């Protein structure tokens, strides 16, 4: 039996885990949030979709309680908690030598960080356009549709890549194997590195942000730096395509009514994923000698706001 653990079961982990369990897979949800774990084990996960609300029975465990080994571990903590989660699962012997560890988190550099803990050949990268929300502990909100693209982080396609893709498709997650997942990861990270910090700092929805006539002058310098850093790392990103992708999010019918997730995290008093977006661009820029002052300023401004949120 193909065994799957969701390492970090917030909103997205909940979606992926529940859909895979509904497809008949043996899924364990793993998380540190006590109220959430207790609630799921006691009453099942409450799942609200556009058409129905139901309770779904599924195993939920703290990392320390994990006793099984897994074929697939999907990492969906927030980026800053991911290494601790994998280390705990490693200590619990949940990871065997052929376990595929797949990250679907937003942001850059997860493969490099994970490679300090497990061999690169076990690391898989995915990027998703699905969304999910949590209304409270054990209460999942699943709306809309999405896609997943995945690839082994070293670019090799193996039997596990095909298996994971099949599992996702059986779980109706619209998955495909990519031949260059880094393009999609960097493209999504660019959108997140522009709209997340700007809408958070300005306290605006995406559409409110777009109403200012000079948004181009605000977003282009940030994107230019990202394109230059990517190029120095051997990845060609198309500047115009990225601008168009960001502007496509502006209309109310697209993502215009939403505050980006960074805004939601900050206003709930939680830390953000800024170090894995603009912060990672700054780090990569320093390595290759490319200045990234716009990304660096956005990173510092979000860190300032995080301090305020914590105090
Ligand atoms: P999330 O905030 O729902 O959950 C992340 C972690 O925070 C989980 O461990 C969860 O248990 C914990 N948590 C959540 N609410 C909490 C609370 N009130 N008290 C204590 N702990 C709490 O995060 P997510 O949205 O599932 O994101 C996981 C990863 O997936 C991130 O990298 C994110 O950028 C990415 N992602 C999310 C979405 C989405 O729509 N949610 C879409 C694409 C990618």
């Amino acid at each position: 039996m193909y065994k799957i653990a969701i390492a970090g079961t917030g909103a997205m982990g909940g979606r992926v885990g529940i859909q895979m369990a509904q497809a008949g897979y043996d899924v364990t949800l793993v998380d540190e949030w006590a109220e959430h774990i207790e609630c799921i084990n006691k009453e099942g996960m409450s799942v609200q979709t556009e058409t129905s609300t139901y309770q779904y029975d599924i195993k939920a465990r703290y990392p320390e309680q994990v006793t099984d080994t897994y074929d697939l571990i999907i990492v969906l903590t927030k980026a800053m908690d991911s290494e601790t989660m994998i280390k705990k699962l490693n200590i619990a012997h949940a990871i065997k030598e052929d376990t595929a560890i797949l990250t679907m988190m937003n942001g850059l550099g997860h493969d490099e960080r994970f490679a300090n803990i497990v061999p690169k050949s076990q690391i898989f990268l995915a990027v998703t356009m699905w969304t999910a929300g949590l209304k409270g502990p054990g209460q999942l909100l699943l709306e809309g549709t999405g896609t997943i693209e995945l690839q082994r982080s070293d670019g090799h396609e193996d039997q596990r890549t095909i298996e994971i893709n099949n599992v996702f498709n059986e779980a109706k997650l619209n998955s495909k194997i990519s031949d260059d997942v880094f393009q999609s990861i960097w493209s999504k990270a660019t959108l997140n590195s522009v709209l997340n910090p700007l809408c958070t700092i300005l306290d605006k929805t995406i559409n409110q942000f777009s109403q200012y006539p000079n948004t181009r002058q605000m977003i282009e310098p940030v994107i230019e730096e990202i394109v230059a850093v990517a190029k120095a790392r051997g990845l060609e990103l198309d500047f115009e395509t990225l601008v168009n992708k960001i502007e496509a999010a502006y209309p109310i019918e697209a993502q215009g009514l939403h505050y980006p997730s960074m805004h939601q995290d900050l206003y709930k008093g939680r830390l953000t994923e800024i170090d894995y977006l603009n912060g990672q661009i700054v780090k990569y820029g320093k390595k290759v000698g490319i200045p990234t002052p716009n990304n660096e300023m956005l990173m510092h401004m979000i860190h300032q706001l995080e301090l305020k949120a914590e105090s």
Side-chain angles (χ1 to χ4, degrees):
M1 179 77 184
Y2 198 79
K3 285 174 89 83
I4 301 164
I6 308 294
T9 308
M12 251 336 256
R15 175 185 281 281
V16 171
I18 291 283
Q19 289 193 215
M20 291 196 305
Q22 286 171 335
Y25 286 96
D26 179 346
V27 177
T28 308
L29 307 180
V30 183
D31 205 76
E32 302 268 14
W33 182 13
E35 234 183 317
H36 192 47
I37 293 291
E38 301 307 327
C39 198
I40 299 168
N41 281 327
K42 208 166 147 205
E43 294 162 23
M45 183 84 90
S46 157
V47 183
Q48 183 183 330
T49 70
E50 279 110 344
T51 51
S52 63
T53 303
Y54 56 91
Q55 294 297 126
Y56 192 84
D57 272 337
I58 188 161
K59 278 177 281 188
R61 302 282 180 267
Y62 300 108
E64 295 76 13
Q65 290 179 320
V66 168
T67 49
D68 289 341
T69 54
Y70 293 91
D71 301 300
L72 170 63
I73 296 178
I74 301 179
V75 185
L76 272 166
T77 55
K78 289 285 187 181
M80 49 281 190
D81 301 319
S82 58
E83 284 157 271
T84 307
M85 174 62 87
I86 296 178
K87 280 181 191 155
K88 284 190 176 176
L89 291 178
N90 213 7
I91 291 166
H93 304 291
I95 302 174
K96 43 189 175 119
E97 62 186 19
D98 61 348
T99 299
I101 298 173
L102 175 136
T103 158
M104 212 185 282
M105 298 179 293
N106 283 333
L108 300 169
H110 304 313
D111 52 325
E112 294 159 18
R113 281 182 287 274
F114 288 9
N116 296 325
I117 311 171
V118 290
K120 221 167 175 175
S121 60
Q122 287 185 249
I123 303 170
F124 292 72
L125 297 173
V127 59
T128 185
M129 294 301 143
W130 286 97
T131 59
L134 272 183
K135 297 201 304 176
Q139 293 172 52
L140 197 56
L141 181 62
L142 303 183
E143 290 176 332
T145 63
T147 53
I148 294 175
E149 261 182 71
L150 75 108
Q151 190 179 28
R152 204 170 102 171
S153 68
D154 57 10
H156 292 287
E157 183 175 321
D158 61 6
Q159 190 53 34
R160 289 172 301 177
T161 319
I162 297 166
E163 272 167 13
I164 300 167
N165 190 49
N166 288 343
V167 173
F168 282 152
N169 281 322
E170 284 171 36
K172 301 190 171 68
L173 285 161
N174 297 339
S175 177
K176 69 171 188 191
I177 298 171
S178 171
D179 55 11
D180 190 2
V181 79
F182 287 100
Q183 269 289 338
S184 306
I185 288 176
W186 276 72
S187 168
K188 189 173 186 200
T190 304
L191 179 120
N192 288 335
S193 298
V194 171
L195 293 180
N196 281 19
L198 286 170
C199 291
T200 304
I201 293 160
L202 296 166
D203 190 15
K204 288 189 170 187
T205 63
I206 292 171
N207 184 263
Q208 286 166 349
F209 169 73
S210 76
Q211 297 303 315
Y212 179 60
N214 300 318
T215 48
R216 275 269 173 126
Q217 280 150 261
M218 298 178 75
I219 69 171
E220 286 187 354
V222 182
I223 304 170
E224 273 161 14
E225 290 175 6
I226 298 175
V227 171
V229 169
K231 191 176 168 71
R233 293 177 56 83
L235 188 75
E236 288 292 336
L237 297 176
D238 183 58
F239 176 80
E240 282 305 325
T241 307
L242 292 170
V243 172
N244 292 340
K245 187 178 166 138
I246 289 166
E247 291 186 342
Y250 292 167
I252 282 170
E253 319 77 74
Q255 287 152 266
L257 286 177
H258 296 278
Y259 289 100
S261 59
M262 185 175 284
H263 184 282
Q264 297 171 29
D265 287 337
L266 194 88
Y267 283 82
K268 284 182 191 156
R270 302 174 68 192
L271 293 176
T272 73
E273 293 183 303
I274 191 77
D275 286 339
Y276 304 85
L277 297 165
N278 311 73
Q280 189 65 46
I281 297 294
V282 174
K283 271 191 204 150
Y284 284 152
K286 289 204 163 104
K287 263 194 198 160
V288 292
I290 291 181
T292 55
N294 291 287
N295 279 279
E296 190 156 358
M297 181 57 81
L298 290 174
M299 176 191 77
H300 286 308
M301 290 177 87
I302 293 294
H303 281 319
Q304 282 270 5
L305 289 168
E306 284 175 332
L307 273 186
K308 195 172 146 203
E310 274 178 337
S311 62

